[in-house]
C-alpha cells in the first residue's frame, strides 16, 4: 500500500492540522500534488489528460515531471493515475472516505451528494431535481472539481453503506478546469455501468448538471450598460432602452456584473447581495467577543473559491479566531459595498484573496477585482482606511499560502493604530 | 449625459455635521457615472464611518429615485421615506438637488456631487468628455457635427485660430483643436464649401438664464 497522507480535510483531523501548521512554517512551500517516481509506471496517462499541459515525460530518462508553475491542482491526474503514483494533499481517497464515514455516523444519512464548487451553493432547480429523486437528507461533499474523484472512492463509499450517490458537476463547457467535468462525468458513467453489472440498481449513481448563473431584475435595471461593458463573456446585451438581458448560455457565473451594477439589479445565484451582507453581519457579531479576548485585529477575508482548497471545505464555520473567511465564486464578485459594510461593522481589516495573475478560472476576474480595490482605496483614504484593505494573489498549489498572506496582513495592520471607524453605535 | 464628480467627504461632512438622520438619495437617471443605489449605499456607509471617526453618530439611509429632476417622481418615491429625516444628501446633478428643494421645502437638502458638464463617455479610456454647453442655438449642422462652442476654448465660430499646432489646441496642447477636427470631418464628407462659409456671431439673447419652455 502506498503511504496515504491524511490532510486537514475532516474537521476532527487534528493530526492533519498539526501537519498543515508545520508545513506553513517551513521555508519552502509544500506543493499540493506530487508524482512519486517509485510507483510511476510511466504510462503517460496523466500527461495526456492534464488540461494545463503541466505534466511531461522526459525524453531521455522517461521520467514523468510535473511543472508546478503550470499546474492548477485540479487533481484530474490524481484520479486518472492507474497505479496511484500521484499524491495529492487535498481530497485524497482516505480523507474523503473518513469524511463520509464521520458524517454518516453523525447524521445517519446514507445519501451522498458530490458537488463541484462551480455548481454550489445548489440552485433551486437542482434542489428540486434532488427532491424529485428522493434525495432530501444527504451528506454534502463539496470539491473544487468532480474530475478529481477516482472511482475507487465511489466504490468505497458504497461499501460503507451509502445507498445513493448524486454527482453535480458543472456543465461541460463551463468547467473551471477545462476538462474536469467531462472526464469526471465519463468516469461516473463507466462506474455506473460497472455498478449495474455488479447488481446495483441504475439510480445508485446519478449525474445532474448545473451551474450558477447571474440573473437580472429588469424592473430595477436602468440600462446604463456597465454590466454589458464589463462582462468578460459577452453574455449581456442592452436589448431595449433601460433593459439589459443576460444570455444564460454565455454566462459563466463569475458575478462581475453583480459587483459593478450601480443599482444592484443583478444577483448571482447563491451569492446574492443580501445573503453576503447577512454573512458579514453574522460574522461581525463575533467581533466584540474576539476583542474582549484580546484577539485583535479582527479581519475579514473575501476568498475566491479557486484560490484556496481545503480551508473552504471544512464544512464548519470559516471562523478561525480573529480571521473570518467569506467565500465567493470568483474575486470578480467582490463587491466594494460589502467591503465598506465590513469596515462599518467594525472589522479592522479586509483582505481579498484572488487567484494568481494568470490563473483566474474565470476570465481575468482577479484583475478586475484589483482595479476595483484600488479605486475603492481612494475612497477609503478619505476615512484613513486605505491601508487596511489589501488584495493578495494566492494559489492552492502551495500549501498554506493563504495562511501566510493572512499572517503578513495581520502583521501589517497591527502596526497601524486602530481607528473607531465602525462597530455598534450607541443609540 | 450629465457628468458629475464626487465632493470630498470632508466637505460633505462639513455641511452634514448639525444633523443626525440623513437620507442619501441617488439618481437612476442620466448622472454619470451612475449614482444609483450602489453609490447611495457607498456614501451612506462612508458618511457613517467618518462620523464615527469624528465622534459623531450619523444614521444614514440609502435610497434612489428613477429621475431626481422629476418632481412627481421624487414626491411619490421619497415621501414615504422622509419621516424623521433631518437632512437629505442628494447624489444627483444640480438639477436634482433643486428639484428636491422644491418638493421638500421643509427639509435641508445638500449636494453630494459637483455637476461638471454634459458629456460623452469613453469606456475604454474611462474618460468623460464635454461635448455640449446647451447654448440653445445648435450649429452642428454647419460644423460637421462637432461643436466649436464647446470644444474650442475660445468658442470661435470661424476657426481655427493661428494658435493650433499639429492639430492640437494652443490653450491645452493635450487637446485636439476643434476646428481642425471640423475641417477634417468636412473634408471627409465633401462639405468644404460649408466650412468656408462665414458664420454669423451667436445670438446670446436666446440663451439668457434662466430659461423656460412650455412642455405641453
Amino acid at each position: 500500500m502506498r503511504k496515504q497522507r491524511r490532510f486537514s480535510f475532516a474537521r476532527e483531523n487534528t493530526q492533519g492540522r498539526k501537519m498543515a501548521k508545520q508545513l506553513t512554517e517551513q521555508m519552502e512551500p509544500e506543493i499540493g500534488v506530487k508524482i512519486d517516481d517509485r510507483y510511476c509506471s510511466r504510462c503517460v496517462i496523466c500527461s495526456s489528460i492534464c488540461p494545463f499541459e503541466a505534466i511531461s515525460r522526459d525524453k531521455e530518462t522517461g521520467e514523468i515531471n510535473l511543472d508546478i508553475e503550470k499546474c492548477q491542482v485540479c487533481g484530474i491526474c490524481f484520479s486518472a493515475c492507474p497505479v496511484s503514483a500521484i499524491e495529492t494533499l487535498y481530497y485524497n481517497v482516505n480523507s474523503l472516505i473518513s469524511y463520509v464515514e464521520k458524517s454518516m455516523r453523525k447524521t445517519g444519512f446514507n445519501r451522498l451528494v458530490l458537488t463541484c464548487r462551480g455548481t454550489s451553493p445548489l440552485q433551486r432547480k437542482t434542489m428540486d431535481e434532488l427532491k424529485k429523486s428522493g434525495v432530501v437528507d444527504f451528506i454534502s461533499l463539496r470539491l473544487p472539481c468532480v474530475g478529481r474523484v477516482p472511482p475507487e472512492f465511489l466504490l468505497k463509499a458504497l461499501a460503507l453503506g451509502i445507498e445513493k450517490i448524486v454527482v453535480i458537476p458543472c456543465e461541460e463547457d463551463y468547467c473551471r478546469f477545462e476538462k474536469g467535468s467531462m472526464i469526471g462525468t465519463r468516469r461516473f458513467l463507466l462506474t455506473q455501468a460497472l455498478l449495474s453489472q455488479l447488481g446495483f440498481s441504475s439510480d445508485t449513481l446519478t449525474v445532474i448538471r448545473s451551474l450558477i448563473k447571474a440573473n437580472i431584475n429588469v424592473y430595477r435595471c436602468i440600462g446604463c450598460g456597465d454590466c454589458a461593458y464589463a462582462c468578460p463573456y459577452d453574455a449581456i446585451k442592452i436589448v431595449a432602452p433601460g433593459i439589459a438581458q443576460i444570455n444564460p448560455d454565455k454566462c459563466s457565473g463569475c458575478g462581475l456584473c453583480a459587483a459593478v451594477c450601480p443599482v444592484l439589479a443583478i444577483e448571482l445565484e447563491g451569492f446574492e447581495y443580501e445573503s453576503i451582507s447577512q454573512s458579514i453581519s453574522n460574522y461581525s457579531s463575533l467581533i466584540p467577543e474576539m476583542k474582549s479576548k484580546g484577539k485583535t485585529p479582527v479581519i475579514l477575508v473575501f476568498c475566491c473559491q479557486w484560490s484556496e482548497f481545503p480551508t473552504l471545505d471544512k464544512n464548519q464555520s470559516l471562523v478561525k479566531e480573529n480571521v473570518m473567511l467569506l467565500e465567493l465564486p470568483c474575486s470578480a464578485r467582490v463587491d466594494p459595498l460589502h467591503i465598506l459594510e465590513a469596515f462599518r461593522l467594525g472589522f479592522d481589516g479586509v483582505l481579498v484573496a484572488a487567484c494568481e495573475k494568470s490563473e483566474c478560472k474565470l476570465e481575468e476576474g482577479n484583475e478586475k477585482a484589483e482595479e476595483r480595490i484600488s479605486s475603492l482605496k481612494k475612497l477609503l483614504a478619505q476615512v484613513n482606511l486605505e491601508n487596511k484593505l489589501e488584495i493578495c494573489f494566492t494559489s492552492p498549489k502551495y500549501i498554506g499560502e493563504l495562511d501566510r498572506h493572512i499572517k503578513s496582513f495581520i502583521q501589517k495592520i497591527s502596526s497601524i493604530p486602530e481607528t473607531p471607524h465602525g462597530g455598534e453605535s450607541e443609540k | 449625459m450629465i457628468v458629475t464628480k464626487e465632493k470630498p467627504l470632508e466637505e460633505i461632512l462639513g455641511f452634514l455635521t448639525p444633523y443626525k438622520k440623513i437620507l442619501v438619495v441617488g439618481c437612476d437617471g442620466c448622472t454619470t457615472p451612475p449614482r444609483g443605489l450602489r453609490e447611495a449605499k457607498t456614501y451612506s456607509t462612508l458618511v457613517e464611518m467618518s462620523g464615527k471617526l469624528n465622534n459623531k453618530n450619523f444614521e444614514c439611509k440609502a435610497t434612489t429615485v428613477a429621475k431626481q429632476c422629476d418632481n412627481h417622481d421624487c414626491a411619490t418615491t421619497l415621501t414615504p421615506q422622509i419621516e424623521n429625516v433631518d437632512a437629505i444628501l442628494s447624489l444627483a446633478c444640480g438639477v436634482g438637488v433643486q428639484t428636491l428643494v422644491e418638493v421638500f421645502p421643509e427639509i435641508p437638502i445638500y449636494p453630494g456631487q459637483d455637476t461638471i458638464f454634459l458629456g460623452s463617455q469613453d469606456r475604454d479610456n474611462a474618460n468623460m468628455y464635454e461635448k455640449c454647453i446647451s447654448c440653445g442655438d445648435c450649429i452642428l449642422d454647419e460644423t460637421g457635427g462637432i461643436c466649436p462652442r464647446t470644444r474650442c476654448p475660445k468658442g470661435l465660430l470661424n476657426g481655427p485660430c493661428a494658435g493650433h499646432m499639429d492639430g492640437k489646441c494652443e490653450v491645452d496642447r493635450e487637446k485636439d483643436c476643434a476646428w481642425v477636427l471640423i475641417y477634417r470631418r468636412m473634408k471627409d464628407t465633401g462639405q468644404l464649401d460649408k466650412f468656408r462659409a462665414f458664420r454669423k456671431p451667436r445670438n446670446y439673447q436666446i440663451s439668457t438664464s434662466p430659461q423656460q419652455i412650455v412642455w405641453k
Side-chain angles (χ1 to χ4, degrees), chain A residues 310-327:
Chain A
T311 348
L312 296 179
D313 282 325
K314 276 182 194 157
N315 270 28
Q316 58 178 349
S317 132
L318 294 166
V319 180
K320 218 160 100 192
E321 300 198 318
N322 56 339
V323 180
M324 307 184 194
L325 249 70
L326 194 83
E327 190 188 327

Side-chain angles (χ1 to χ4, degrees), chain A residues 75 78-79 96 114 143 145-151 153-154 187-188:
Chain A
F78 154 73
S79 57
L96 292 178
L114 281 177
L143 296 159
C145 179
V146 293
R148 68 186 303 141
V149 180
F153 165 71
L154 300 176
R187 200 175 284 144
F188 297 130

Side-chain angles (χ1 to χ4, degrees), chain B residues 93-167:
Chain B
C93 64
V95 184
V97 179
Q98 295 180 58
T99 312
L100 284 184
V101 166
E102 277 160 23
V103 177
F104 302 111
E106 70 287 4
I107 302 174
I109 320 265
Y110 291 99
Q113 312 280 334
D114 291 318
T115 308
I116 339 178
F117 53 78
L118 301 187
S120 69
Q121 192 172 13
D122 176 357
R123 286 192 186 267
D124 290 328
N125 297 319
N127 263 328
M128 309 273 183
Y129 303 103
E130 183 172 14
K131 292 280 165 73
C132 176
I133 52 165
S134 51
C135 66
D137 180 19
C138 195
I139 51 156
L140 285 173
D141 60 317
E142 296 167 35
T143 58
I146 293 164
C147 177
R149 281 181 190 154
T150 315
R151 291 164 74 178
C152 168
K154 299 177 183 176
L156 293 182
L157 288 185
N158 294 285
C161 67
H164 77 94
M165 193 199 279
D166 302 329

